[in-house]
Amino acid sequence: MANPNPSGAVKEAAFTISVSERVKRLPPYLFGQLNATKYRLRTEGHDVIDLGMGNPTDPAPEDVVKKLCEAVKDPRNSRYSVSSGVFNLRRELARKYQRLYNVDVDPESEVVATIGSKEGFSHMCLALLGAGDTAIVPDPAFPIHVYAVALAEANVISVTLGNDDAFLSRIQYVAEHLYPRPKVLILNYPHNPTAMVAPDVRFYEEVVRMAKRFNFLVLHDFAYGETCFGNYRAPSFLQAKGAKDVAVEFTTMSKAYNMAGWRVGFCAGNSQMCRALMKVKGYYDYGIFQAIQVAAIIAMREGDEFSRRQAAIYEKRRDTMMRGLMRLGWTGTETPQASMFIWAKIPEALLAKMGSIDLSLFLMEKGHVAVAPGRAFGPAGEGYLRLAVVENEKRINQAIRQMGRALKELE
């Protein structure tokens, strides 16, 4: 009988890659199909109006751009920086907290510069949480508030989002009945995606009292804190009495200064929590490109009026979008007091035909308008679309017209 393997070579098993359990725990990325559809339509030559992401389209302050160009030419800024940020940058953030919120933070021990607030938040979860730990996360939520916890191998307990006593009662119920007790509470006001705001500092003071009673820490995402409309001014969590005993707050230069791609954020508050974040970052990175840090100092030092003007621009776009939604018959949407988003309630008759994900795909295919489906932010987000007011008023009106034409096909 012939030898089926005359060479005598041993057949090797197929080579396989096994990723970590923490990666396996991550669900499919719901924005993946939307992004792929948007890319395909644009390669086909279609002008897709993108309202799906809070990605500013307006320019950064001119003086800040000039300072960046100047700093880039200095060879000293091309060297490795420090993972926690240069002292002068952290000091400028501390001065800003004092100026805007009358809050004192020590730039040496209570401020960390991060590569955007998202990076800082994620690494803080890694510094605080591990297997068996639990974080309370309101639903709906910005995805990283859930998945940073999962990547740290901890567990998420969802509570329905709110900004009132009923919401605080839901948190208290979890803290009282969960064993082991939750280690972290994650808050985000002004909220992404819903634009819900914290009413005042007293709300945060109740959270502080609860945190001390049940021994949990608080991470507050304050990314949209400077993008406020009318007479509303978002309070900082650190304004609450005793806040620095239990909490840190994350801010960013992405929104107020149109510096999203520059990747400059901050963590401020409890010194032990900041120290833990510094330790993790010390192993992971060498910090922000130093020329950007130099320019960011100028932005914070001279940019208060710029950020106020930018908020006014978003307010006008908000009003344009709200008028457009009314023309479409979407009457259940609340007018936001802050952030760059509108949490648009899908009419019941339309929702009976398709959910938020299918509707988002439909509007992109038929209307060439990209929006974010509410379901992508958690179960409680179903029935809504998140619309970012990042385009100018002319483009927003055009988006409304295109959505209206597409929706007529469903009548």
Side-chain angles (χ1 to χ4, degrees):
M1 187 170 103
N3 184 354
N5 186 13
S7 67
V10 177
K11 187 176 181 180
E12 294 185 2
F15 186 79
T16 59
I17 304 266
S18 180
V19 299
S20 70
E21 287 301 318
R22 68 174 62 88
V23 172
K24 291 178 182 177
R25 290 177 64 188
L26 295 175
Y29 189 50
L30 287 177
F31 286 107
Q33 188 178 0
L34 289 164
N35 290 336
T37 301
K38 179 171 61 179
Y39 176 78
R40 173 177 58 78
L41 288 169
R42 284 178 168 171
T43 58
E44 292 172 356
H46 298 290
D47 176 21
V48 178
I49 301 176
D50 194 353
L51 309 178
M53 185 179 181
N55 193 8
T57 59
D58 302 301
E62 185 176 349
D63 289 347
V64 176
V65 175
K66 288 181 179 179
K67 189 64 178 182
L68 175 64
C69 294
E70 175 188 316
V72 164
K73 296 176 183 178
D74 187 337
R76 293 173 296 179
N77 290 326
S78 291
R79 304 182 68 191
Y80 290 129
S81 187
V82 289
S83 58
S84 59
V86 298
F87 177 77
N88 285 354
L89 178 66
R90 289 180 279 126
R91 181 177 61 188
E92 208 60 48
L93 188 278
R95 289 172 174 170
K96 181 177 176 179
Y97 259 93
Q98 174 56 232
R99 186 170 67 248
L100 296 186
Y101 308 113
N102 195 29
V103 170
D104 292 321
V105 289
D106 179 4
E108 193 65 66
S109 63
E110 297 177 336
V111 177
V112 184
T114 61
I115 308 173
S117 59
K118 190 174 180 181
E119 175 269 317
F121 179 89
S122 301
H123 279 146
M124 181 62 84
C125 287
L126 200 61
L128 298 179
L129 297 167
D133 291 331
T134 301
I136 301 174
V137 185
D139 177 21
F142 184 50
I144 198 61
H145 295 162
V146 174
Y147 301 137
V149 175
L151 285 168
E153 300 187 329
N155 303 306
V156 170
I157 295 292
S158 294
V159 298
T160 303
L161 176 69
N163 60 355
D164 54 13
D165 289 341
F167 174 64
L168 296 177
S169 294
R170 291 193 288 274
I171 295 171
Q172 180 172 321
Y173 182 87
V174 172
E176 286 177 335
H177 292 86
L178 186 69
Y179 183 83
R181 283 181 171 171
K183 190 171 183 180
V184 166
L185 168 66
I186 294 169
L187 295 178
N188 169 211
Y189 301 101
H191 189 257
N192 180 9
T194 71
M196 182 181 290
V197 297
D200 51 42
V201 174
R202 290 173 296 179
F203 174 77
Y204 290 144
E205 289 175 345
E206 288 298 324
V207 175
V208 170
R209 282 192 281 271
M210 199 183 305
K212 291 184 176 182
R213 177 183 172 189
F214 294 107
N215 197 35
F216 60 72
L217 304 173
V218 180
L219 307 184
H220 182 228
D221 185 344
F222 198 40
Y224 298 91
E226 293 176 77
T227 308
C228 300
F229 311 137
N231 294 323
Y232 178 76
R233 293 293 176 267
S236 161
F237 191 93
L238 299 185
Q239 288 177 280
K241 184 178 179 180
K244 286 198 296 181
D245 296 336
V246 300
V248 291
E249 184 165 77
F250 294 90
T251 54
T252 177
M253 303 193 73
S254 296
K255 319 302 180 185
Y257 305 94
N258 300 326
M259 293 167 60
W262 299 47
R263 309 315 300 134
V264 185
F266 299 94
C267 171
N270 182 273
S271 60
Q272 289 178 277
M273 296 167 73
C274 286
R275 191 179 310 120
L277 176 58
M278 289 180 192
K279 188 170 185 177
V280 169
K281 283 178 61 61
Y283 281 95
Y284 272 102
D285 66 72
Y286 287 109
I288 308 158
F289 176 35
Q290 194 156 292
I292 290 178
Q293 296 189 60
V294 171
I297 292 170
I298 300 302
M300 284 191 288
R301 185 177 296 165
E302 302 176 0
D304 287 358
E305 181 57 32
F306 179 93
S307 65
R308 284 192 287 269
R309 290 198 305 269
Q310 188 61 45
I313 289 171
Y314 285 128
E315 185 172 7
K316 289 181 180 179
R317 293 174 182 173
R318 175 206 66 176
D319 294 342
T320 300
M321 182 71 80
M322 291 299 298
R323 288 192 294 268
L325 291 172
M326 291 294 289
R327 292 197 299 272
L328 293 179
W330 291 35
T331 57
T333 299
E334 294 186 11
T335 302
Q337 293 179 273
S339 89
M340 54 184 13
F341 302 116
I342 289 176
W343 190 235
K345 184 172 176 56
I346 303 169
E348 292 298 329
L350 180 55
L351 193 58
K353 297 176 181 178
M354 61 177 64
S356 63
I357 295 174
D358 289 338
L359 180 57
S360 297
L361 288 167
F362 176 82
L363 290 173
M364 193 165 353
E365 288 280 8
K366 300 296 183 178
H368 299 158
V369 177
V371 299
R375 183 61 181 82
F377 302 98
E382 186 54 87
Y384 294 84
L385 298 179
R386 190 192 70 177
L387 309 176
V389 290
V390 291
E391 293 282 359
N392 64 43
E393 293 166 65
K394 182 178 178 180
R395 292 277 282 176
I396 289 173
N397 279 321
Q398 180 63 31
I400 291 291
R401 288 193 293 270
Q402 292 174 198
M403 289 170 65
R405 287 196 292 266
L407 291 170
K408 282 187 179 299
E409 298 185 23
L410 299 175
E411 294 179 356

Coordinates of all heavy atoms in Angstrom, one line a residue, residues 206-280:
E206 N -25.8 65.2 47.9 CA -26.5 64.0 48.3 C -25.7 62.7 47.9 O -25.6 61.7 48.6 CB -27.9 63.9 47.7 CG -28.9 64.9 48.4 CD -29.1 64.6 49.8 OE1 -29.1 63.4 50.2 OE2 -29.2 65.5 50.6
V207 N -25.1 62.8 46.7 CA -24.3 61.7 46.2 C -23.0 61.5 47.1 O -22.7 60.4 47.5 CB -23.8 61.9 44.8 CG1 -22.9 60.8 44.3 CG2 -25.0 62.0 43.8
V208 N -22.4 62.6 47.5 CA -21.3 62.5 48.4 C -21.6 61.9 49.7 O -20.9 61.0 50.2 CB -20.7 63.9 48.6 CG1 -19.6 63.9 49.7 CG2 -20.1 64.5 47.3
R209 N -22.8 62.3 50.3 CA -23.2 61.7 51.6 C -23.4 60.2 51.4 O -23.0 59.4 52.3 CB -24.4 62.4 52.1 CG -24.2 63.7 52.7 CD -25.4 64.2 53.5 NE -26.4 64.8 52.6 CZ -26.4 66.1 52.2 NH1 -25.4 66.9 52.7 NH2 -27.3 66.6 51.4
M210 N -24.0 59.8 50.3 CA -24.3 58.4 50.0 C -23.0 57.6 49.8 O -22.8 56.5 50.3 CB -25.2 58.2 48.8 CG -25.9 56.9 48.7 SD -26.8 56.8 47.1 CE -27.9 58.3 47.3
A211 N -22.0 58.2 49.1 CA -20.7 57.6 48.9 C -20.0 57.3 50.2 O -19.4 56.2 50.4 CB -19.9 58.4 47.9
K212 N -20.1 58.3 51.1 CA -19.4 58.1 52.4 C -20.1 57.0 53.2 O -19.5 56.2 53.9 CB -19.3 59.4 53.1 CG -18.3 60.4 52.5 CD -18.2 61.7 53.3 CE -17.2 62.6 52.6 NZ -17.0 63.8 53.4
R213 N -21.4 57.0 53.1 CA -22.2 56.0 53.9 C -22.0 54.6 53.4 O -21.8 53.7 54.3 CB -23.7 56.3 53.8 CG -24.6 55.3 54.5 CD -26.1 55.7 54.3 NE -26.9 54.6 54.8 CZ -28.2 54.6 54.6 NH1 -28.9 55.5 53.9 NH2 -28.9 53.6 55.1
F214 N -21.9 54.4 52.1 CA -21.8 53.0 51.6 C -20.3 52.7 51.1 O -20.1 51.7 50.5 CB -22.8 52.8 50.4 CG -24.2 52.9 50.9 CD1 -25.0 54.0 50.6 CD2 -24.7 51.9 51.7 CE1 -26.3 54.0 51.0 CE2 -26.1 51.9 52.1 CZ -26.9 53.0 51.8
N215 N -19.4 53.7 51.3 CA -18.0 53.5 51.0 C -17.8 53.1 49.5 O -17.1 52.2 49.2 CB -17.5 52.4 51.9 CG -15.9 52.4 51.9 OD1 -15.3 53.5 51.8 ND2 -15.3 51.2 51.9
F216 N -18.4 53.9 48.6 CA -18.0 53.8 47.2 C -17.4 55.1 46.6 O -17.5 56.1 47.3 CB -19.2 53.4 46.3 CG -20.4 54.3 46.3 CD1 -20.3 55.5 45.6 CD2 -21.6 53.9 46.9 CE1 -21.4 56.4 45.6 CE2 -22.7 54.7 46.9 CZ -22.6 56.0 46.2
L217 N -16.7 55.0 45.5 CA -16.0 56.1 44.9 C -16.9 56.6 43.8 O -17.7 55.9 43.2 CB -14.6 55.7 44.4 CG -13.7 55.1 45.4 CD1 -12.4 54.5 44.7 CD2 -13.3 56.1 46.5
V218 N -16.6 57.9 43.4 CA -17.4 58.5 42.3 C -16.5 59.0 41.2 O -15.5 59.6 41.5 CB -18.3 59.7 42.8 CG1 -19.1 60.3 41.7 CG2 -19.2 59.2 44.0
L219 N -16.8 58.6 40.0 CA -16.1 59.1 38.8 C -17.2 59.9 38.0 O -18.2 59.4 37.6 CB -15.7 58.0 37.9 CG -14.8 56.9 38.5 CD1 -14.3 55.9 37.4 CD2 -13.6 57.5 39.2
H220 N -16.9 61.2 37.9 CA -17.8 62.1 37.2 C -17.2 62.6 35.9 O -16.1 63.2 35.8 CB -18.1 63.4 38.0 CG -19.1 64.2 37.4 ND1 -19.0 65.6 37.3 CD2 -20.3 64.0 36.7 CE1 -20.0 66.1 36.6 NE2 -20.8 65.2 36.3
D221 N -17.9 62.3 34.8 CA -17.5 62.7 33.4 C -18.1 64.0 33.2 O -19.3 64.2 33.0 CB -17.9 61.6 32.4 CG -17.4 62.0 31.0 OD1 -17.0 63.1 30.8 OD2 -17.5 61.1 30.1
F222 N -17.3 65.1 33.1 CA -17.8 66.5 33.0 C -17.4 67.1 31.6 O -17.1 68.2 31.5 CB -17.2 67.3 34.1 CG -17.8 68.6 34.4 CD1 -19.2 68.7 34.4 CD2 -17.1 69.7 34.8 CE1 -19.8 70.0 34.7 CE2 -17.7 70.9 35.1 CZ -19.1 71.0 35.1
A223 N -17.4 66.2 30.6 CA -16.8 66.6 29.3 C -17.6 67.8 28.7 O -17.0 68.6 27.9 CB -16.9 65.4 28.3
Y224 N -18.9 67.9 29.0 CA -19.7 69.0 28.4 C -20.0 70.1 29.3 O -21.0 70.8 29.1 CB -21.0 68.3 27.8 CG -20.7 67.3 26.7 CD1 -20.5 66.0 27.0 CD2 -20.5 67.7 25.4 CE1 -20.2 65.0 26.1 CE2 -20.2 66.8 24.4 CZ -20.0 65.4 24.8 OH -19.7 64.5 23.8
G225 N -19.2 70.2 30.4 CA -19.5 71.1 31.4 C -19.5 72.6 31.0 O -20.2 73.4 31.6
E226 N -18.8 73.0 30.0 CA -18.7 74.4 29.5 C -19.7 74.7 28.4 O -19.8 75.8 27.9 CB -17.3 74.7 29.1 CG -16.4 74.7 30.3 CD -14.9 75.0 29.9 OE1 -14.6 76.2 29.6 OE2 -14.1 74.0 29.8
T227 N -20.4 73.6 27.9 CA -21.3 73.8 26.7 C -22.7 73.9 27.3 O -23.5 72.9 27.2 CB -21.1 72.7 25.7 OG1 -19.7 72.5 25.4 CG2 -21.9 73.0 24.4
C228 N -23.0 75.1 27.8 CA -24.3 75.3 28.4 C -25.1 76.4 27.8 O -24.4 77.3 27.2 CB -24.1 75.6 29.9 SG -23.3 74.4 30.9
F229 N -26.4 76.4 27.9 CA -27.2 77.3 27.1 C -28.1 78.2 28.1 O -28.5 77.7 29.1 CB -28.1 76.6 26.1 CG -27.4 75.6 25.3 CD1 -27.9 74.3 25.1 CD2 -26.2 75.9 24.7 CE1 -27.3 73.4 24.3 CE2 -25.5 74.9 24.0 CZ -26.0 73.7 23.8
G230 N -28.5 79.4 27.6 CA -29.3 80.3 28.4 C -28.7 80.6 29.7 O -27.5 80.9 29.8
N231 N -29.5 80.6 30.8 CA -28.9 80.9 32.1 C -28.4 79.7 32.8 O -27.9 79.8 34.0 CB -30.1 81.5 32.9 CG -30.5 82.9 32.4 OD1 -29.7 83.6 31.9 ND2 -31.8 83.2 32.4
Y232 N -28.5 78.5 32.2 CA -28.0 77.3 32.9 C -26.5 77.3 32.9 O -25.8 77.5 31.9 CB -28.5 76.0 32.3 CG -28.0 74.8 33.0 CD1 -28.5 74.4 34.2 CD2 -27.0 74.0 32.4 CE1 -28.0 73.3 34.9 CE2 -26.5 72.9 33.1 CZ -27.0 72.5 34.3 OH -26.5 71.4 34.9
R233 N -25.9 77.0 34.1 CA -24.4 76.7 34.2 C -24.2 75.4 34.9 O -24.7 75.3 36.1 CB -23.8 77.9 35.0 CG -23.8 79.2 34.2 CD -22.9 79.2 33.0 NE -23.0 80.4 32.2 CZ -23.9 80.6 31.2 NH1 -24.8 79.7 30.9 NH2 -23.9 81.8 30.5
A234 N -23.6 74.5 34.3 CA -23.4 73.2 34.9 C -22.5 73.2 36.1 O -21.4 73.8 36.0 CB -22.8 72.2 33.8
P235 N -23.0 72.7 37.2 CA -22.1 72.7 38.4 C -21.0 71.6 38.2 O -21.3 70.5 37.7 CB -23.0 72.4 39.5 CG -24.1 71.6 38.9 CD -24.3 72.1 37.5
S236 N -19.8 71.9 38.8 CA -18.8 70.8 38.9 C -19.1 69.9 40.1 O -19.6 70.4 41.1 CB -17.4 71.5 39.0 OG -16.5 70.6 39.6
F237 N -18.9 68.6 39.9 CA -19.1 67.8 41.1 C -18.2 68.2 42.2 O -18.5 68.0 43.4 CB -18.8 66.3 40.7 CG -19.2 65.3 41.7 CD1 -20.4 64.7 41.6 CD2 -18.4 65.0 42.8 CE1 -20.8 63.8 42.6 CE2 -18.8 64.1 43.7 CZ -20.0 63.5 43.7
L238 N -17.0 68.7 41.9 CA -16.0 69.1 43.0 C -16.5 70.3 43.8 O -15.9 70.6 44.8 CB -14.6 69.3 42.3 CG -14.0 68.2 41.6 CD1 -12.6 68.5 41.2 CD2 -14.0 66.9 42.5
Q239 N -17.5 71.0 43.3 CA -18.1 72.1 44.1 C -18.9 71.5 45.4 O -19.1 72.3 46.3 CB -19.1 72.9 43.3 CG -18.4 73.8 42.3 CD -19.4 74.5 41.4 OE1 -19.9 74.0 40.5 NE2 -19.6 75.8 41.7
A240 N -19.3 70.3 45.3 CA -20.0 69.7 46.5 C -19.1 69.6 47.7 O -17.9 69.2 47.6 CB -20.6 68.4 46.1
K241 N -19.6 69.9 48.9 CA -18.9 69.7 50.1 C -18.4 68.3 50.3 O -19.2 67.4 50.2 CB -19.7 70.2 51.3 CG -18.9 70.2 52.6 CD -19.8 70.7 53.7 CE -19.1 70.7 55.1 NZ -19.9 71.1 56.2
G242 N -17.1 68.1 50.5 CA -16.6 66.8 50.7 C -16.4 66.0 49.5 O -16.0 64.8 49.5
A243 N -16.5 66.6 48.3 CA -16.4 65.8 47.0 C -15.0 65.2 46.8 O -14.9 64.1 46.4 CB -16.8 66.7 45.8
K244 N -14.0 66.0 47.2 CA -12.6 65.5 47.0 C -12.3 64.3 47.9 O -11.3 63.6 47.7 CB -11.6 66.6 47.1 CG -11.6 67.6 46.0 CD -10.3 68.4 45.9 CE -10.2 69.3 47.1 NZ -8.9 70.1 47.0
D245 N -13.1 64.0 48.9 CA -12.9 62.9 49.8 C -13.2 61.6 49.0 O -12.7 60.5 49.4 CB -13.8 62.9 51.0 CG -13.4 64.1 51.9 OD1 -12.3 64.6 51.8 OD2 -14.3 64.6 52.7
V246 N -14.1 61.7 48.0 CA -14.7 60.4 47.4 C -14.6 60.4 45.9 O -14.9 59.4 45.3 CB -16.2 60.2 47.8 CG1 -16.3 60.1 49.3 CG2 -17.1 61.3 47.3
A247 N -14.2 61.5 45.2 CA -14.5 61.6 43.8 C -13.3 62.2 43.0 O -12.5 63.0 43.6 CB -15.8 62.4 43.5
V248 N -13.3 61.9 41.7 CA -12.6 62.7 40.7 C -13.5 63.0 39.6 O -14.5 62.4 39.4 CB -11.4 61.9 40.2 CG1 -10.3 61.6 41.2 CG2 -11.8 60.5 39.6
E249 N -13.1 64.1 38.9 CA -13.9 64.6 37.8 C -13.0 64.6 36.5 O -11.9 65.1 36.6 CB -14.4 66.0 38.1 CG -15.3 66.6 37.1 CD -16.1 67.8 37.7 OE1 -15.5 68.8 37.8 OE2 -17.3 67.6 38.0
F250 N -13.6 64.2 35.4 CA -12.9 64.2 34.1 C -13.4 65.3 33.2 O -14.6 65.5 33.0 CB -13.0 62.9 33.4 CG -12.4 61.7 34.1 CD1 -13.1 61.0 35.1 CD2 -11.0 61.4 33.9 CE1 -12.5 60.0 35.8 CE2 -10.4 60.4 34.6 CZ -11.1 59.7 35.6
T251 N -12.4 66.1 32.7 CA -12.8 67.2 31.8 C -12.0 67.1 30.5 O -11.0 66.3 30.5 CB -12.5 68.6 32.4 OG1 -11.2 68.6 32.9 CG2 -13.5 68.8 33.6
T252 N -12.3 67.8 29.5 CA -11.6 67.7 28.2 C -11.6 69.1 27.5 O -12.4 70.0 27.8 CB -12.3 66.7 27.3 OG1 -11.7 66.7 26.0 CG2 -13.8 67.1 27.1
M253 N -10.6 69.3 26.6 CA -10.6 70.5 25.8 C -11.2 70.3 24.5 O -11.2 71.1 23.6 CB -9.1 70.9 25.7 CG -8.5 71.2 27.0 SD -6.9 72.0 27.0 CE -7.4 73.7 26.6
S254 N -11.7 69.1 24.2 CA -12.3 68.7 22.9 C -13.5 69.6 22.5 O -13.6 70.0 21.4 CB -12.7 67.2 22.9 OG -11.6 66.4 23.1
K255 N -14.4 69.9 23.4 CA -15.7 70.5 23.1 C -15.6 72.0 23.2 O -15.9 72.7 22.2 CB -16.8 70.0 24.0 CG -16.7 68.5 24.3 CD -16.7 67.6 23.1 CE -16.6 66.1 23.5 NZ -16.6 65.3 22.3
A256 N -15.2 72.6 24.3 CA -15.3 74.0 24.5 C -14.3 74.7 23.6 O -14.5 75.9 23.2 CB -15.1 74.4 25.9
Y257 N -13.2 74.1 23.2 CA -12.1 74.7 22.5 C -12.0 74.1 21.1 O -11.0 74.5 20.4 CB -10.8 74.6 23.2 CG -10.8 75.1 24.6 CD1 -11.0 74.3 25.7 CD2 -10.6 76.5 24.9 CE1 -11.1 74.8 27.0 CE2 -10.6 77.0 26.2 CZ -10.9 76.1 27.2 OH -10.9 76.6 28.5
N258 N -12.8 73.2 20.7 CA -12.8 72.6 19.3 C -11.4 71.9 19.1 O -10.8 72.0 18.1 CB -13.0 73.6 18.2 CG -14.4 74.2 18.3 OD1 -15.3 73.6 18.7 ND2 -14.5 75.5 18.0
M259 N -10.9 71.2 20.2 CA -9.6 70.6 20.1 C -9.7 69.1 20.3 O -8.9 68.4 20.9 CB -8.7 71.2 21.2 CG -8.3 72.6 20.9 SD -7.6 73.5 22.4 CE -6.1 72.5 22.7
A260 N -10.7 68.5 19.7 CA -11.0 67.1 19.9 C -9.8 66.2 19.5 O -9.4 65.3 20.2 CB -12.3 66.6 19.1
G261 N -9.3 66.4 18.3 CA -8.2 65.6 17.8 C -6.8 65.9 18.5 O -5.9 65.1 18.3
W262 N -6.8 66.9 19.3 CA -5.5 67.2 20.0 C -5.3 66.3 21.2 O -4.2 66.1 21.6 CB -5.6 68.7 20.5 CG -5.7 69.7 19.5 CD1 -6.6 69.8 18.5 CD2 -5.0 70.9 19.4 NE1 -6.4 70.9 17.7 CE2 -5.4 71.7 18.3 CE3 -4.0 71.5 20.2 CZ2 -4.9 72.9 18.0 CZ3 -3.5 72.8 19.9 CH2 -3.9 73.4 18.7
R263 N -6.4 65.7 21.7 CA -6.4 64.7 22.8 C -5.8 65.3 24.1 O -4.7 64.9 24.5 CB -5.7 63.4 22.4 CG -6.1 62.8 21.1 CD -7.7 62.7 20.9 NE -8.3 62.0 22.0 CZ -9.4 62.4 22.7 NH1 -10.0 63.5 22.4 NH2 -9.9 61.6 23.6
V264 N -6.5 66.3 24.6 CA -6.1 66.8 25.9 C -7.3 66.8 26.9 O -8.3 67.3 26.6 CB -5.6 68.3 25.8 CG1 -5.1 68.8 27.1 CG2 -4.6 68.5 24.7
G265 N -7.1 66.0 28.0 CA -8.1 65.9 29.0 C -7.5 66.0 30.4 O -6.2 66.1 30.5
F266 N -8.3 66.0 31.4 CA -7.8 66.1 32.8 C -8.6 65.2 33.7 O -9.8 65.0 33.5 CB -7.8 67.5 33.3 CG -7.0 68.5 32.5 CD1 -7.6 69.2 31.4 CD2 -5.7 68.6 32.7 CE1 -6.8 70.1 30.7 CE2 -4.9 69.5 32.0 CZ -5.5 70.2 30.9
C267 N -8.0 64.8 34.7 CA -8.6 64.2 35.9 C -8.3 65.0 37.1 O -7.1 65.3 37.3 CB -8.2 62.7 36.1 SG -8.7 62.0 37.6
A268 N -9.3 65.5 37.9 CA -9.0 66.3 39.0 C -9.8 65.8 40.2 O -11.0 65.4 40.0 CB -9.3 67.8 38.7
G269 N -9.3 65.9 41.4 CA -10.0 65.5 42.6 C -9.2 64.8 43.6 O -8.0 65.1 43.9
N270 N -9.7 63.7 44.1 CA -9.1 62.9 45.2 C -7.7 62.6 44.9 O -7.4 62.0 43.9 CB -9.9 61.7 45.5 CG -9.4 60.9 46.6 OD1 -8.5 60.0 46.4 ND2 -9.8 61.1 47.8
S271 N -6.8 62.9 45.8 CA -5.3 62.7 45.5 C -4.9 61.3 45.4 O -4.1 60.9 44.6 CB -4.5 63.4 46.6 OG -4.8 62.9 47.9
Q272 N -5.5 60.4 46.2 CA -5.2 59.0 46.2 C -5.6 58.3 44.8 O -4.9 57.5 44.2 CB -5.8 58.2 47.3 CG -5.2 58.5 48.7 CD -5.9 57.8 49.8 OE1 -6.9 58.2 50.3 NE2 -5.3 56.6 50.2
M273 N -6.8 58.7 44.4 CA -7.3 58.3 43.1 C -6.4 58.8 42.0 O -6.1 58.1 41.0 CB -8.8 58.6 42.9 CG -9.7 58.0 43.9 SD -11.4 58.7 43.9 CE -12.1 58.1 42.4
C274 N -6.1 60.1 42.1 CA -5.2 60.6 41.0 C -3.8 59.9 41.0 O -3.2 59.7 40.0 CB -5.0 62.1 41.3 SG -6.4 63.2 40.8
R275 N -3.3 59.6 42.2 CA -2.0 58.9 42.3 C -2.1 57.5 41.7 O -1.2 57.1 41.0 CB -1.6 58.8 43.8 CG -0.1 58.3 44.0 CD 0.2 58.3 45.4 NE -0.1 59.5 46.2 CZ -1.0 59.5 47.2 NH1 -1.5 58.4 47.7 NH2 -1.2 60.7 47.8
A276 N -3.2 56.9 41.9 CA -3.4 55.5 41.3 C -3.4 55.7 39.7 O -2.8 54.8 39.0 CB -4.7 54.9 41.8
L277 N -4.1 56.7 39.2 CA -4.1 56.9 37.8 C -2.7 57.2 37.3 O -2.3 56.7 36.2 CB -5.1 58.0 37.4 CG -5.1 58.5 36.0 CD1 -5.5 57.3 35.1 CD2 -6.1 59.6 35.8
M278 N -2.0 58.1 38.0 CA -0.6 58.4 37.6 C 0.3 57.2 37.5 O 1.1 57.0 36.6 CB 0.0 59.4 38.6 CG -0.5 60.8 38.5 SD 0.3 61.8 39.8 CE -0.7 63.3 39.8
K279 N 0.1 56.3 38.4 CA 0.9 55.0 38.5 C 0.6 54.2 37.2 O 1.5 53.7 36.6 CB 0.6 54.3 39.7 CG 1.5 53.1 39.9 CD 1.4 52.5 41.3 CE 2.4 51.4 41.6 NZ 2.3 50.9 43.0
V280 N -0.7 54.0 36.9 CA -1.0 53.2 35.7 C -0.5 53.9 34.5 O 0.1 53.2 33.6 CB -2.6 53.0 35.6 CG1 -3.0 52.5 34.3 CG2 -3.1 52.1 36.7

